[in-house]
């Protein structure tokens, strides 16, 4: 049997993984001297306090080497194969830790077979490929074909989002102090995406409303060109703007209900309050992998 392992940064609610061969390894949020297991957090309650964190933003940390080895060892001892799909190595050291852990288990259990995939993203831009993996496993695909299903999906996904302000991005080193100050003074907000595993600016817009309009424009263009398979609306902080945007703008366009889900705090604390959309198209899009394919280690 193939077991799928991912991380909590994929932002998948527990109900969507019920009955699926997926193990979630949690990252951590460290606030005021307390380390919180992200997969056990009440994320919506946590985000109600995000503005109180403005001057003291919590830090985040990846799972320990021992935790990863324990998960992989259980899979190896059961005689199963591992298919790992993890958040971008450009955003976290988790993927590199995963590789070390798998190699350590392989050194003790030589027959252990695994394939580890750097999603080059996070949140549901990562999650859509995990669901494709579960479907491939259900169909009885071997490990190599499951890897193909995941990498094909990753090429067809996109994450677009716009933050409420530039403060959290500046604090996290994603933009400079001068850029943040100027942007906040003139109400400049970026439309962000993920390219080659790192956050990238798609556009700079004068108002948040217009930034959301630009996101919808990009989304519609992609759907027209590549077809639509799956979509969620994401939020960091207050859920209300995301719910309203989904109901009034996104759902009328796609013609069906769209789930509104919080972004993992490990990701959200680097962005701050934001609204965005993560979707999977029917065909590959040319945006996310500019300088190569999704990295696979096996």
């Amino acid at each position: 049997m193939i077991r799928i392992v991912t991380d909590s940064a994929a932002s998948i609610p527990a109900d969507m993984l019920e009955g699926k061969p997926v193990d979630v390894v949690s990252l951590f949020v460290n606030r005021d001297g307390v380390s919180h297991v992200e997969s056990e957090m009440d994320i919506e309650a946590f985000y109600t306090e995000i503005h109180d964190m403005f001057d003291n933003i919590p830090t985040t940390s990846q799972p320990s080497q021992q935790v990863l080895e324990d998960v992989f060892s259980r899979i190896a001892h059961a005689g199963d194969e591992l298919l790992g799909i993890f958040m971008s190595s450009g955003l976290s050291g988790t993927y590199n830790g995963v590789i070390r852990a798998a190699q350590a288990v392989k050194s003790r259990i030589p027959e252990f077979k695994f394939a580890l995939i750097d999603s080059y993203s996070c949140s549901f831009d990562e999650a859509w490929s995990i669901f494709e993996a579960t479907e491939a496993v259900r169909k009885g695909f071997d490990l190599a074909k499951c890897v193909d299903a995941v990498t094909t999906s990753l090429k067809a996904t996109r994450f677009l989002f716009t933050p409420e302000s530039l403060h959290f991005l500046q604090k996290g080193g994603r933009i400079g102090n001068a850029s943040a100050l100027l942007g906040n003074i003139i109400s400049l907000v970026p439309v962000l995406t993920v390219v080659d595993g790192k956050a990238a600016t798609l556009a700079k817009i004068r108002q948040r409303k217009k930034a959301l309009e630009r996101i919808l424009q990009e989304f519609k263009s992609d759907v027209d060109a590549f077809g639509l398979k799956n979509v969620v609306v994401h939020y960091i902080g207050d859920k209300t703007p995301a719910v309203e945007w989904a109901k009034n703008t996104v759902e009328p366009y796609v013609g069906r209900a769209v789930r509104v889900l919080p972004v993992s705090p490990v990701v959200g604390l680097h962005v701050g309050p934001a609204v965005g959309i993560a979707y999977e198209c029917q065909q590959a899009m040319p945006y996310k992998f500019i300088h190569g394919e999704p990295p696979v280690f096996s």
Side-chain angles (χ1 to χ4, degrees):
M1 181 179 177
I2 297 172
R3 292 292 308 183
I4 301 162
V5 180
T6 189
D7 51 63
S8 55
S11 309
I12 306 175
D15 67 284
M16 297 183 76
L17 293 177
E18 288 180 3
K20 294 181 170 61
V22 180
D23 293 309
V24 178
V25 178
S26 188
L27 282 81
F28 297 86
V29 173
N30 311 302
R31 185 184 184 195
D32 297 330
V34 178
S35 184
H36 301 273
V37 180
E38 182 178 48
S39 60
E40 299 175 0
M41 292 173 63
D42 183 336
I43 296 177
E44 192 161 346
F46 177 79
Y47 276 155
T48 63
E49 301 177 351
I50 196 167
H51 287 98
D52 297 334
M53 307 171 200
F54 197 77
D55 294 317
N56 186 25
I57 299 174
T59 60
T60 61
S61 54
Q62 63 198 58
S64 71
Q65 194 76 19
Q66 189 60 56
V67 166
L68 293 169
E69 288 190 33
D70 287 347
V71 172
F72 298 167
S73 291
R74 286 197 297 271
I75 293 171
H77 283 303
D80 294 334
E81 299 175 348
L82 164 66
L83 175 59
I85 305 161
F86 296 92
M87 72 181 299
S88 173
S89 58
L91 300 174
S92 168
T94 301
Y95 183 66
N96 291 328
V98 163
I99 291 174
R100 291 192 298 271
Q103 289 175 318
V105 173
K106 178 79 171 178
S107 70
R108 298 191 296 268
I109 309 172
E111 61 272 21
F112 177 44
K113 289 186 65 176
F114 63 87
L116 308 173
I117 302 172
D118 184 344
S119 72
Y120 261 33
S121 196
C122 59
S123 303
F124 257 69
D125 196 31
E126 173 189 353
W128 294 128
S129 67
I130 296 163
F131 295 121
E132 294 294 341
T134 65
E135 181 63 14
V137 169
R138 187 191 66 80
K139 290 178 178 178
F141 289 2
D142 64 16
L143 189 58
K145 287 186 177 179
C146 287
V147 169
D148 287 343
V150 171
T151 56
T152 297
S153 172
L154 288 172
K155 296 173 189 174
T157 64
R158 201 175 189 196
F159 188 16
L160 302 171
F161 54 103
T162 181
E164 184 178 286
S165 77
L166 302 177
H167 177 79
F168 283 75
L169 288 163
Q170 181 264 321
K171 286 286 188 179
R174 267 55 179 183
I175 59 174
N177 291 336
S179 295
L181 177 61
L182 179 60
N184 286 326
I185 288 174
I186 64 174
S187 299
L188 181 69
V189 293
V191 173
L192 301 173
T193 186
V194 181
V195 177
D196 287 336
K198 297 181 180 180
T201 301
L202 178 70
K204 297 178 181 179
I205 311 294
R206 283 295 298 269
Q207 296 177 349
R208 196 182 193 204
K209 179 181 178 181
K210 291 184 178 179
L212 288 171
E213 290 173 357
R214 175 60 185 273
I215 289 176
L216 187 70
Q217 176 187 333
E218 288 287 322
F219 174 53
K220 287 181 175 180
S221 177
D222 288 341
V223 172
D224 288 344
F226 306 107
L228 179 64
K229 194 170 186 178
N230 292 299
V231 58
V232 299
V233 167
H234 264 320
Y235 69 92
I236 302 166
D238 183 9
K239 183 179 182 178
T240 304
V243 170
E244 292 176 350
W245 189 58
K247 181 179 179 180
N248 298 330
T249 305
V250 180
E251 290 182 354
Y253 171 66
V254 300
R256 63 176 188 258
V258 173
R259 195 157 180 177
V260 179
L261 297 172
V263 169
S264 147
V266 164
V267 176
L269 288 169
H270 293 284
V271 179
V275 173
I277 191 168
Y279 51 96
E280 181 182 18
C281 286
Q282 298 282 354
Q283 303 173 42
M285 292 181 281
Y287 310 118
K288 194 160 60 176
F289 301 101
I290 305 300
H291 296 106
E293 299 284 308
V296 179
F297 186 89
S298 59

